[in-house]
Amino acid sequence: MAARGRVRDKEKLSLERIVDVAISQLRERGYDAVTMRSIAAELGTGPASLYAHVANRNELDSQVNARISSMAYVPEPDPSRWDEQIAEVARELLRLYREHPGTARCTMGNMPASIEALDPVEKIFAILRAGGVPDQDASWFGDQFSLHVAAFAMEEDIWKSRARSEGLTEEEAWDHIPPVFMNLSVARFPVLTSLAGVLTTGDADVRFAFGVDLMIRGLKARAASAAERASLPGDSVDAC
Amino acid sequence: MAARGRVRDKEKLSLERIVDVAISQLRERGYDAVTMRSIAAELGTGPASLYAHVANRNELDSQVNARISSMAYVPEPDPSRWDEQIAEVARELLRLYREHPGTARCTMGNMPASIEALDPVEKIFAILRAGGVPDQDASWFGDQFSLHVAAFAMEEDIWKSRARSEGLTEEEAWDHIPPVFMNLSVARFPVLTSLAGVLTTGDADVRFAFGVDLMIRGLKARAASAAERASLPGDSVDAC
DNA sequence: ACCTGAACACCGTTCAAGT
DNA sequence: ACCTGAACACCGTTCAAGT
């Protein structure tokens, strides 16, 4: 029993265990504090051992990204409410990034990640297709939508890390913002100062919902205007 | 003359010179190769000297971001074509990030940056206001729009850096993508495989224009629907 | 094939000392 | 106030050696 069950608590290294530890450390210590060495240490070995399972730090990030992505729940397509379903997916992805702080920074620059991470992507495109979104629009939307969600999560994560490293709570850090806009020169920033109140209205969730809403409404608007005349994305854009 | 003009070619350190060197190194070597030490070396001193002008690496990034942002040209508001003007601003910002590779990574997580960097922001809000966009929508749009543009530039920059570090040209790196989608299992990824052709259609500029177009159209669509009934951002979103 | 210890070539930042 | 040399406490990665 003793000679088997836990002779040593090293049960062989594997990519899976490495990613497990990486994600748990990401959550507990934040992105900057997780290193090859800290991961190796928790696994009871030296950093060199990790390189038998992962090519480098970038690939580790990519694997972390794949793991998080593969955890996303995406509903079966319901054509009558594809737009709400896309908004739901956005919230689900943000929820996952938040539940595993630090992982958003592994995502940016690592898209589309690995093949296992494509399952949720497949489902997102299934929803768009069920909703009748034209293939080309759906394709580009998937790209920009994923980027936007990841960027929001990353920015939020950096913001929180920074606040923490300055010894502030999130609320305290937030409280530093409104005065900045209030105290701007009215002569130099007439619009910004007049917007000061509204600029700092709404928490992260509201801002996120707004951004996602913009993209979904934009997609619908394109379909509507395509009904009149065939239009390319550049439409109002590559005129210049 | 010799005793004055260039006794030594160290003409006093300053934040300005440090940022100058940082940006020029960012452009030439890419984000990862620019360090406090490399900047100091080019200025003929040691890394410790920089800390008299900049608190830490994060603040240097923030200063680089401020410098780049302040270079953005934003046109005077023309109410009749505010939407095209916003698209122009997006292209101008992307152009700046591209002209100074590596700086996009200084921007993410550093918004809204410093006060000097707010001049372009003021002008963007002036265009939105001239276009009749409601204050709250304009405010949230400015936030999500800036994030989206910075994220696009950052992703592109990381992508290019990665390609370069693997000894590939951008074209070669791009060529690796289509086969990935082509060779997916049709059974597991029926939608993705059917979209393979269209997924890899369009270069970076087209994708960028598409994303920006979505956000602008979304903003207009919100105004249109607000005409019928007062609506909050959550509308189709915080139902769940 | 997998794992390891030790080393290499770096980092950002601090600090006492100089001017 | 600004600058410096030297050091501290780290990094990611490599490599010869072990199993």
Side-chain angles (χ1 to χ4, degrees):
Chain A
M1 185 183 267
R4 260 272 175 204
R6 47 181 300 279
V7 185
R8 310 172 79 351
D9 42 339
K10 42 181 56 177
E11 13 166 338
K12 274 200 97 185
L13 241 38
S14 69
L15 179 57
E16 201 194 346
R17 292 187 67 215
I18 292 170
V19 173
D20 284 346
V21 171
I23 290 178
S24 96
Q25 288 195 356
L26 245 9
R27 157 192 259 131
E28 284 159 24
R29 318 183 186 183
Y31 186 82
D32 294 325
V34 179
T35 67
M36 295 287 135
R37 295 172 120 93
S38 71
I39 294 166
E42 185 164 335
L43 288 164
T45 183
S49 304
L50 307 183
Y51 288 82
H53 300 91
V54 90
N56 50 44
R57 176 64 206 258
N58 262 344
E59 199 197 293
L60 210 189
D61 279 3
S62 177
Q63 293 288 347
V64 167
N65 173 29
R67 174 81 131 264
I68 297 296
S69 299
S70 72
M71 293 165 58
Y73 165 74
V74 182
E76 288 304 305
D78 175 352
S80 72
R81 48 188 290 280
W82 68 271
D83 51 349
E84 290 172 44
Q85 288 191 311
I86 294 294
E88 278 170 26
V89 172
R91 285 195 298 278
E92 163 74 355
L93 292 173
L94 182 61
R95 186 189 67 76
L96 276 171
Y97 286 130
R98 283 175 171 169
E99 195 175 351
H100 307 279
T103 59
R105 268 184 269 185
C106 301
T107 299
M108 285 291 295
N110 266 328
M111 312 212 270
S114 58
I115 287 173
E116 314 87 74
L118 287 180
D119 284 316
V121 178
E122 165 76 13
K123 291 186 194 159
I124 290 172
F125 281 119
I127 292 174
L128 292 169
R129 174 167 282 177
V133 178
D135 281 359
Q136 185 64 79
D137 272 21
S139 151
W140 287 331
F141 178 86
D143 185 42
Q144 297 294 297
F145 172 79
S146 305
L147 176 67
H148 189 86
V149 173
F152 188 96
M154 175 180 166
E155 165 109 320
E156 186 178 74
D157 185 57
I158 293 179
W159 169 268
K160 286 180 183 175
S161 297
R162 190 117 64 209
R164 194 167 54 170
S165 82
E166 287 169 5
L168 302 171
T169 68
E170 290 171 40
E171 289 74 22
E172 287 167 344
W174 254 111
D175 292 343
H176 288 340
I177 304 297
V180 173
F181 291 110
M182 310 279 216
N183 298 329
L184 290 174
S185 150
V186 179
R188 183 172 171 189
F189 300 108
V191 186
L192 272 176
T193 46
S194 77
L195 287 173
V198 94
L199 273 169
T200 51
T201 296
D203 61 11
D205 288 338
V206 170
R207 286 158 186 277
F208 181 70
F210 179 84
V212 170
D213 187 50
L214 282 188
M215 300 190 83
I216 295 173
R217 281 186 197 253
L219 192 56
K220 289 195 260 189
R222 286 178 58 82
S225 80
E228 309 166 9
R229 58 195 167 90
S231 87
L232 284 172
D235 203 6
S236 67
V237 163
D238 31 22
C240 179
Chain B
M1 184 182 269
R4 260 274 175 201
R6 48 183 297 281
V7 185
R8 311 171 80 349
D9 42 339
K10 40 182 59 176
E11 12 165 341
K12 274 200 100 186
L13 242 37
S14 68
L15 178 57
E16 200 195 348
R17 292 186 68 215
I18 292 170
V19 173
D20 283 346
V21 170
I23 290 178
S24 97
Q25 287 196 357
L26 246 9
R27 157 192 258 131
E28 284 158 25
R29 318 184 187 182
Y31 186 81
D32 295 325
V34 179
T35 66
M36 294 287 136
R37 294 172 120 93
S38 71
I39 294 166
E42 185 164 333
L43 288 165
T45 183
S49 304
L50 307 184
Y51 288 83
H53 300 92
V54 90
N56 50 42
R57 176 62 207 259
N58 262 345
E59 198 197 294
L60 210 187
D61 278 4
S62 177
Q63 292 290 346
V64 167
N65 173 27
R67 175 81 132 260
I68 298 294
S69 299
S70 71
M71 293 166 57
Y73 165 76
V74 182
E76 288 303 306
D78 175 351
S80 71
R81 47 188 289 282
W82 69 272
D83 50 351
E84 292 171 43
Q85 286 191 312
I86 294 295
E88 278 169 27
V89 171
R91 285 196 300 279
E92 163 74 355
L93 291 172
L94 182 61
R95 186 188 68 75
L96 276 172
Y97 286 130
R98 283 175 170 167
E99 194 176 352
H100 307 281
T103 58
R105 267 184 268 183
C106 301
T107 299
M108 285 290 295
N110 267 327
M111 313 210 270
S114 57
I115 287 174
E116 313 86 75
L118 287 180
D119 285 316
V121 177
E122 164 77 13
K123 291 186 195 160
I124 291 172
F125 281 119
I127 291 174
L128 292 170
R129 172 167 283 178
V133 177
D135 281 358
Q136 185 65 81
D137 272 20
S139 150
W140 286 332
F141 178 86
D143 185 41
Q144 297 293 296
F145 172 80
S146 304
L147 176 66
H148 189 86
V149 173
F152 188 95
M154 175 179 166
E155 164 109 319
E156 187 177 74
D157 185 58
I158 293 178
W159 169 268
K160 286 181 182 175
S161 297
R162 191 117 65 207
R164 193 166 55 170
S165 82
E166 286 168 5
L168 302 170
T169 67
E170 288 172 42
E171 288 75 21
E172 286 166 343
W174 255 111
D175 291 343
H176 288 340
I177 304 296
V180 173
F181 291 110
M182 310 279 215
N183 298 329
L184 290 174
S185 151
V186 178
R188 184 172 171 191
F189 300 108
V191 186
L192 272 176
T193 46
S194 77
L195 288 174
V198 93
L199 273 168
T200 52
T201 296
D203 60 11
D205 289 338
V206 171
R207 287 159 185 277
F208 181 70
F210 179 84
V212 170
D213 187 51
L214 282 188
M215 300 189 82
I216 295 172
R217 280 186 197 254
L219 193 55
K220 288 196 258 188
R222 286 179 58 82
S225 80
E228 309 166 9
R229 59 197 167 89
S231 87
L232 284 172
D235 205 8
S236 67
V237 160
D238 31 22
C240 180

